[in-house]
Amino acid sequence: MKKKHKIVISAAAFFCLAIVAILYFYQSPSRRNNTFVCSARVVIRNEGYTLYSLLSFHLGRGDGVAALSGYMEDPQHRETAINRYIHFSELDRDEGKQLQSEKIIPASNESVSADALAGILPDFFVEKGHLLNLRRTWAGENSMMILVSGFPAILCD
Amino acid sequence: MSNYYLLNNVRFLPRERTLFNDESGEKVVLTNISAKCLLCFCERYEKLISHDELIEFVWDVQHKTVQYNSLYQVLLILRRSLAQVGLSQEMIRTLPRKGFIMGGIKLEQYTGDESPEVARQSGSEALAVVKASIAQDETVDNGELQPVLQSIEAPFSEIKPPITSGITLHLSVASCLAVAVLLLVALVAVWQFFPSSNRNFFRGYEVAKDAPGAGICTWLYNSDASSFERHRQFSADHPELCNEQEAIYVTAYTTSRKISAVACSNSLTTASRQAHCLSWYYPNRSTLKDSL
């Protein structure tokens, strides 16, 4: 290989490295740290029970917190309040994210029973130590969306 | 829409939903709801805002369905975002049974929406005006005007014409390789950092013209489903969604008991404005076989 070629290749490699470095530092800290916030209105219905909720995810680098509030309606149209925080850790996966609930903190005004919740919500929101598989994607004008088991379940505001 | 300096070095851009710390470079993109909430506090700085006033401002026409718990969660997220850019979480105070108040900071309002092109144009006009005044009034001291002219002309002098060198470009294997690598890096950067419409999850959804209520709203079904029977059943069971929302994206498969629907105030595939959406999720909805 000629000396001239070596110089050109070295210059190209240096230029590429410079671009990568600029792009890395140009992007927002939240993206660099892989953090994001998502808030969505979600209705979940199962066997006559309906949960009307506002669901918020605050994902950090290796952990985060989810907040769930709203009310649940049973088949007799009785309403019970739900308001709880779920602290979770993030497990690495090839595709998407896998969250594991570490601590469930129900608020004092929560009146729904754990058994009723277990019938409608994934175990992740009910008991600690359970997993939730998520995949992030995009919808509309840069709106973040979370897929649960491959289904578009949470569209962030 | 005005922008705000929450402190000397922290900017809030409501249109971009962004908090930006000029010193540390920390940037936080707020959720739509959180940004509206902060905008309300900025517009009514050091004034007491009741729960209902805040909910009405933030959720607009949907405020009657919102509970206080939802508001507290939004404030929790907002306070965390404020802390992330170096502001005190205490700047938004909760007054029990009264409402909320924002204070204790140096709030300044400014309009920062002038584009660089407009600024350059206005700069040119200013330059022309000054030069004309020099030409007309010979008694003006050029020594006094020179620094003014230099300050106006400085941004334009930075824009230099492209340098034309006399070196002939010889295409070789090495240079081709270098160009290919550069193009590859540029493509990866564009794909990674600028989300395009190709990444829209609902891009391939089909409009269901024969769905119940199709004249009132638009039902869209995932095109990779082998049959739309379950989708149509869902549309028939939920006519109320069609009255409230403009576009409803239904995802279902014949092999799965799950079904989900995202109902939005406007189309996620064609409209450019922000859509307000409600997600429906059935983890275990009965299939057609069950109902037969």
Side-chain angles (χ1 to χ4, degrees), chain B residues 6 22 32 51 90 98 101 116 121 164 173 180 226 228 231-232 239 243 250 252 262:
Chain B
L6 301 182
D22 290 335
N32 194 28
H51 292 74
E90 302 298 317
K98 288 181 181 172
I101 190 167
Q121 193 180 351
T164 52
V173 177
S226 56
F228 290 147
H231 302 73
R232 288 199 189 90
N243 295 327
V250 184
V262 177

mmCIF file of all heavy atoms in Angstrom, chain B residues 6 22 32 51 90 98 101 116 121 164 173 180 226 228 231-232 239 243 250 252 262:
data_model
loop_
_atom_site.group_PDB
_atom_site.id
_atom_site.type_symbol
_atom_site.label_atom_id
_atom_site.label_comp_id
_atom_site.label_asym_id
_atom_site.label_seq_id
_atom_site.Cartn_x
_atom_site.Cartn_y
_atom_site.Cartn_z
ATOM 1 N N LEU B 6 -35.885 30.417 34.001
ATOM 2 C CA LEU B 6 -36.308 30.116 35.363
ATOM 3 C C LEU B 6 -35.243 30.574 36.359
ATOM 4 O O LEU B 6 -35.542 30.885 37.489
ATOM 5 C CB LEU B 6 -36.553 28.624 35.519
ATOM 6 C CG LEU B 6 -37.627 28.044 34.582
ATOM 7 C CD1 LEU B 6 -37.820 26.580 34.869
ATOM 8 C CD2 LEU B 6 -38.937 28.772 34.726
ATOM 9 N N ASP B 22 -27.970 26.174 30.566
ATOM 10 C CA ASP B 22 -26.932 26.699 29.684
ATOM 11 C C ASP B 22 -25.536 26.388 30.197
ATOM 12 O O ASP B 22 -24.600 26.237 29.415
ATOM 13 C CB ASP B 22 -27.086 28.228 29.546
ATOM 14 C CG ASP B 22 -28.330 28.581 28.752
ATOM 15 O OD1 ASP B 22 -28.755 27.736 27.954
ATOM 16 O OD2 ASP B 22 -28.865 29.683 28.948
ATOM 17 N N ASN B 32 -45.771 16.159 27.483
ATOM 18 C CA ASN B 32 -46.689 17.219 27.072
ATOM 19 C C ASN B 32 -47.426 17.789 28.282
ATOM 20 O O ASN B 32 -47.560 18.999 28.464
ATOM 21 C CB ASN B 32 -47.668 16.641 26.057
ATOM 22 C CG ASN B 32 -48.431 17.704 25.342
ATOM 23 O OD1 ASN B 32 -47.941 18.813 25.178
ATOM 24 N ND2 ASN B 32 -49.634 17.410 24.942
ATOM 25 N N HIS B 51 -56.212 23.431 42.625
ATOM 26 C CA HIS B 51 -56.116 22.146 41.935
ATOM 27 C C HIS B 51 -56.940 22.167 40.647
ATOM 28 O O HIS B 51 -56.467 21.746 39.583
ATOM 29 C CB HIS B 51 -56.636 21.023 42.842
ATOM 30 C CG HIS B 51 -55.776 20.775 44.033
ATOM 31 N ND1 HIS B 51 -55.745 21.619 45.111
ATOM 32 C CD2 HIS B 51 -54.924 19.766 44.320
ATOM 33 C CE1 HIS B 51 -54.902 21.139 46.011
ATOM 34 N NE2 HIS B 51 -54.392 20.009 45.556
ATOM 35 N N GLU B 90 -38.300 22.518 45.471
ATOM 36 C CA GLU B 90 -39.155 23.299 46.365
ATOM 37 C C GLU B 90 -39.730 24.545 45.693
ATOM 38 O O GLU B 90 -40.517 25.265 46.289
ATOM 39 C CB GLU B 90 -38.351 23.731 47.612
ATOM 40 C CG GLU B 90 -37.751 22.580 48.392
ATOM 41 C CD GLU B 90 -38.816 21.650 48.933
ATOM 42 O OE1 GLU B 90 -39.836 22.145 49.438
ATOM 43 O OE2 GLU B 90 -38.631 20.419 48.839
ATOM 44 N N LYS B 98 -55.383 24.175 49.379
ATOM 45 C CA LYS B 98 -55.481 25.456 48.664
ATOM 46 C C LYS B 98 -55.035 25.335 47.218
ATOM 47 O O LYS B 98 -55.693 25.841 46.329
ATOM 48 C CB LYS B 98 -54.638 26.515 49.376
ATOM 49 C CG LYS B 98 -55.248 26.958 50.694
ATOM 50 C CD LYS B 98 -54.396 28.001 51.345
ATOM 51 C CE LYS B 98 -55.008 28.421 52.689
ATOM 52 N NZ LYS B 98 -54.111 29.308 53.434
ATOM 53 N N ILE B 101 -48.197 26.870 44.300
ATOM 54 C CA ILE B 101 -47.618 28.172 43.980
ATOM 55 C C ILE B 101 -46.161 27.968 43.588
ATOM 56 O O ILE B 101 -45.469 27.137 44.173
ATOM 57 C CB ILE B 101 -47.767 29.147 45.172
ATOM 58 C CG1 ILE B 101 -47.392 30.556 44.750
ATOM 59 C CG2 ILE B 101 -46.968 28.707 46.375
ATOM 60 C CD1 ILE B 101 -47.809 31.614 45.751
ATOM 61 N N PRO B 116 -32.379 32.120 12.780
ATOM 62 C CA PRO B 116 -31.133 32.751 12.360
ATOM 63 C C PRO B 116 -31.280 33.486 11.044
ATOM 64 O O PRO B 116 -30.677 34.526 10.842
ATOM 65 C CB PRO B 116 -30.180 31.561 12.211
ATOM 66 C CG PRO B 116 -30.761 30.494 13.048
ATOM 67 C CD PRO B 116 -32.235 30.709 13.036
ATOM 68 N N GLN B 121 -31.332 38.604 8.231
ATOM 69 C CA GLN B 121 -32.008 39.557 7.360
ATOM 70 C C GLN B 121 -32.150 40.906 8.058
ATOM 71 O O GLN B 121 -31.853 41.958 7.496
ATOM 72 C CB GLN B 121 -33.380 39.014 6.985
ATOM 73 C CG GLN B 121 -34.011 39.776 5.836
ATOM 74 C CD GLN B 121 -35.357 39.181 5.510
ATOM 75 O OE1 GLN B 121 -35.723 38.143 6.014
ATOM 76 N NE2 GLN B 121 -36.087 39.865 4.671
ATOM 77 N N THR B 164 -11.471 27.464 -3.039
ATOM 78 C CA THR B 164 -11.205 26.625 -4.214
ATOM 79 C C THR B 164 -9.718 26.397 -4.313
ATOM 80 O O THR B 164 -8.947 27.332 -4.540
ATOM 81 C CB THR B 164 -11.710 27.320 -5.486
ATOM 82 O OG1 THR B 164 -11.167 28.630 -5.508
ATOM 83 C CG2 THR B 164 -13.229 27.380 -5.518
ATOM 84 N N VAL B 173 -8.619 3.873 -4.807
ATOM 85 C CA VAL B 173 -9.303 2.903 -3.948
ATOM 86 C C VAL B 173 -9.443 3.459 -2.541
ATOM 87 O O VAL B 173 -10.494 3.360 -1.909
ATOM 88 C CB VAL B 173 -8.506 1.575 -3.924
ATOM 89 C CG1 VAL B 173 -9.161 0.584 -2.981
ATOM 90 C CG2 VAL B 173 -8.406 0.991 -5.318
ATOM 91 N N ALA B 180 -16.967 6.021 1.197
ATOM 92 C CA ALA B 180 -17.983 5.025 1.558
ATOM 93 C C ALA B 180 -18.167 4.962 3.068
ATOM 94 O O ALA B 180 -19.299 4.900 3.574
ATOM 95 C CB ALA B 180 -17.572 3.657 1.019
ATOM 96 N N SER B 226 -54.164 -12.039 9.888
ATOM 97 C CA SER B 226 -54.694 -12.889 8.812
ATOM 98 C C SER B 226 -56.177 -12.624 8.574
ATOM 99 O O SER B 226 -56.692 -12.897 7.492
ATOM 100 C CB SER B 226 -54.459 -14.360 9.160
ATOM 101 O OG SER B 226 -55.052 -14.644 10.415
ATOM 102 N N PHE B 228 -59.652 -9.865 9.857
ATOM 103 C CA PHE B 228 -60.056 -8.666 10.600
ATOM 104 C C PHE B 228 -61.335 -8.897 11.409
ATOM 105 O O PHE B 228 -61.955 -7.931 11.859
ATOM 106 C CB PHE B 228 -60.274 -7.491 9.635
ATOM 107 C CG PHE B 228 -59.007 -6.971 9.031
ATOM 108 C CD1 PHE B 228 -58.999 -6.454 7.742
ATOM 109 C CD2 PHE B 228 -57.816 -6.988 9.737
ATOM 110 C CE1 PHE B 228 -57.827 -5.966 7.175
ATOM 111 C CE2 PHE B 228 -56.642 -6.517 9.182
ATOM 112 C CZ PHE B 228 -56.642 -6.004 7.895
ATOM 113 N N HIS B 231 -61.064 -7.564 14.904
ATOM 114 C CA HIS B 231 -61.018 -6.097 14.865
ATOM 115 C C HIS B 231 -62.434 -5.536 14.733
ATOM 116 O O HIS B 231 -62.821 -4.591 15.437
ATOM 117 C CB HIS B 231 -60.179 -5.624 13.678
ATOM 118 C CG HIS B 231 -58.771 -6.133 13.677
ATOM 119 N ND1 HIS B 231 -58.441 -7.426 13.380
ATOM 120 C CD2 HIS B 231 -57.601 -5.494 13.934
ATOM 121 C CE1 HIS B 231 -57.131 -7.571 13.440
ATOM 122 N NE2 HIS B 231 -56.589 -6.415 13.782
ATOM 123 N N ARG B 232 -63.195 -6.131 13.793
ATOM 124 C CA ARG B 232 -64.560 -5.626 13.548
ATOM 125 C C ARG B 232 -65.433 -5.822 14.788
ATOM 126 O O ARG B 232 -66.258 -4.975 15.120
ATOM 127 C CB ARG B 232 -65.183 -6.351 12.350
ATOM 128 C CG ARG B 232 -64.564 -5.928 11.044
ATOM 129 C CD ARG B 232 -65.447 -6.268 9.860
ATOM 130 N NE ARG B 232 -64.724 -6.032 8.628
ATOM 131 C CZ ARG B 232 -63.968 -6.941 8.005
ATOM 132 N NH1 ARG B 232 -63.880 -8.159 8.495
ATOM 133 N NH2 ARG B 232 -63.332 -6.637 6.894
ATOM 134 N N PRO B 239 -68.621 1.491 20.126
ATOM 135 C CA PRO B 239 -69.021 2.635 19.287
ATOM 136 C C PRO B 239 -68.711 3.974 19.956
ATOM 137 O O PRO B 239 -68.551 4.996 19.292
ATOM 138 C CB PRO B 239 -70.533 2.439 19.122
ATOM 139 C CG PRO B 239 -70.947 1.610 20.278
ATOM 140 C CD PRO B 239 -69.786 0.736 20.617
ATOM 141 N N ASN B 243 -67.152 8.150 18.761
ATOM 142 C CA ASN B 243 -67.730 9.477 18.995
ATOM 143 C C ASN B 243 -66.729 10.425 19.636
ATOM 144 O O ASN B 243 -66.774 11.629 19.435
ATOM 145 C CB ASN B 243 -68.956 9.357 19.911
ATOM 146 C CG ASN B 243 -70.059 8.576 19.238
ATOM 147 O OD1 ASN B 243 -70.204 8.646 18.028
ATOM 148 N ND2 ASN B 243 -70.821 7.830 20.016
ATOM 149 N N VAL B 250 -56.409 -0.428 15.935
ATOM 150 C CA VAL B 250 -56.705 -1.685 16.628
ATOM 151 C C VAL B 250 -55.675 -2.730 16.210
ATOM 152 O O VAL B 250 -55.407 -2.901 15.017
ATOM 153 C CB VAL B 250 -58.126 -2.186 16.284
ATOM 154 C CG1 VAL B 250 -58.455 -3.434 17.076
ATOM 155 C CG2 VAL B 250 -59.155 -1.106 16.547
ATOM 156 N N ALA B 252 -54.790 -6.754 16.687
ATOM 157 C CA ALA B 252 -55.269 -8.071 17.136
ATOM 158 C C ALA B 252 -54.761 -9.136 16.177
ATOM 159 O O ALA B 252 -54.459 -8.853 15.015
ATOM 160 C CB ALA B 252 -56.790 -8.089 17.189
ATOM 161 N N VAL B 262 -55.483 1.955 20.271
ATOM 162 C CA VAL B 262 -55.013 3.295 20.631
ATOM 163 C C VAL B 262 -55.940 4.287 19.929
ATOM 164 O O VAL B 262 -55.971 4.354 18.703
ATOM 165 C CB VAL B 262 -53.547 3.504 20.198
ATOM 166 C CG1 VAL B 262 -53.107 4.915 20.501
ATOM 167 C CG2 VAL B 262 -52.640 2.512 20.897
#
